[in-house]
Amino acid sequence: MEAKKRIRKEIFARRKAASDEEVLKNSRIICQRVLELPEYRNADWIYAYMDYNHEVMTGELIRQAWKDGKHVAVPRVTGKEMIFYSLDDFTSLEDGYCGIREPSPDPEKAAGEIPGLILVPGVAFDRRRRRIGYGGGFYDRYLSSHPRNVSAAVAFEFQLMDDLPSEPTDMRPDLLITEKNIFR
């Protein structure tokens, strides 16, 4: 746990040091790489996250998914649970868990068990697709209970480390996409 804490601190400093222009430019490259994936083309549903605090920006990718006729869902955190809700536009979002924009908890819009491509955020990654998240375990629990989804982590190259510690409950995404590489 101490190692993960130290790694989070180091990557948060790198994210803070990245310029807005660098984040935008590399987010566009990463999102274009996602759009070119067969996993994206074959998915009817895209489970995205709402970016926060210099994460890979997902807004343009979500807009393109809508244009491509895909269903989009984004998560809402309630207690220890993360539930994805269908998103038709950005106007229905509100500030939620840790200030991250979330959909309203409309049971009619819950995405349920429909398989698709899930975009996974994180703090740090290694080339073997090991991931350190923010410490809440939301994506680890979600991925382990929804194995029919293809998971693709998106991250900047500066978030990569040589080797990350791992625990049995840590889920590795199927793909890791950066502005320079795709790891499978």
Side-chain angles (χ1 to χ4, degrees):
M1 293 300 269
E2 279 303 311
K4 286 185 177 183
K5 197 175 188 179
R6 180 184 44 75
I7 290 167
R8 283 185 186 103
K9 185 176 180 179
E10 180 178 337
I11 299 300
F12 287 147
R14 291 181 191 177
R15 275 185 19 190
K16 188 175 183 178
S19 71
D20 292 345
E21 294 78 18
E22 177 186 4
V23 168
L24 177 61
K25 177 184 136 219
N26 289 331
S27 291
R28 285 182 170 153
I29 293 168
I30 292 164
C31 289
Q32 185 58 45
R33 293 177 134 228
V34 171
L35 295 171
E36 293 168 358
L37 292 170
E39 291 87 351
Y40 171 83
R41 287 192 306 271
N42 295 331
D44 291 327
W45 280 81
I46 305 300
Y47 296 89
Y49 64 89
M50 298 307 301
D51 59 89
Y52 178 76
N53 200 18
H54 273 190
E55 288 179 316
V56 172
M57 299 168 73
T58 57
E60 288 183 22
L61 188 142
I62 291 170
R63 283 185 197 87
Q64 186 60 51
W66 287 329
K67 287 179 187 172
D68 292 340
K70 301 196 181 286
H71 301 282
V72 175
V74 295
R76 180 177 183 90
V77 171
T78 305
K80 295 274 183 197
E81 189 175 21
M82 183 173 72
I83 301 170
F84 279 84
Y85 291 92
S86 181
L87 183 70
D88 300 319
D89 61 58
F90 293 118
T91 62
S92 62
L93 297 172
E94 56 191 43
D95 286 348
Y97 182 79
C98 293
I100 300 168
R101 294 179 303 153
E102 297 181 334
S104 62
D106 181 350
E108 298 287 318
K109 293 196 156 228
E113 296 292 325
I114 305 165
L117 175 65
I118 181 169
L119 299 180
V120 181
V123 177
F125 300 87
D126 67 19
R127 286 161 182 78
R128 291 186 284 177
R129 303 181 329 275
R130 288 186 293 197
R131 169 185 171 274
I132 292 179
Y134 293 87
F138 296 109
Y139 277 88
D140 290 323
R141 286 190 296 278
Y142 191 86
L143 293 175
S144 70
S145 64
H146 296 82
R148 294 181 354 175
N149 288 304
V150 174
S151 56
V154 290
F156 301 116
E157 282 285 322
F158 66 73
Q159 291 178 265
L160 293 180
M161 304 203 71
D162 289 333
D163 193 42
L164 292 179
S166 170
E167 298 170 34
T169 55
D170 292 339
M171 299 296 296
R172 284 193 315 166
D174 299 310
L175 298 103
L176 170 60
I177 302 154
T178 72
E179 68 270 24
K180 294 181 181 176
N181 292 292
I182 297 177
F183 302 96
R184 293 182 176 269

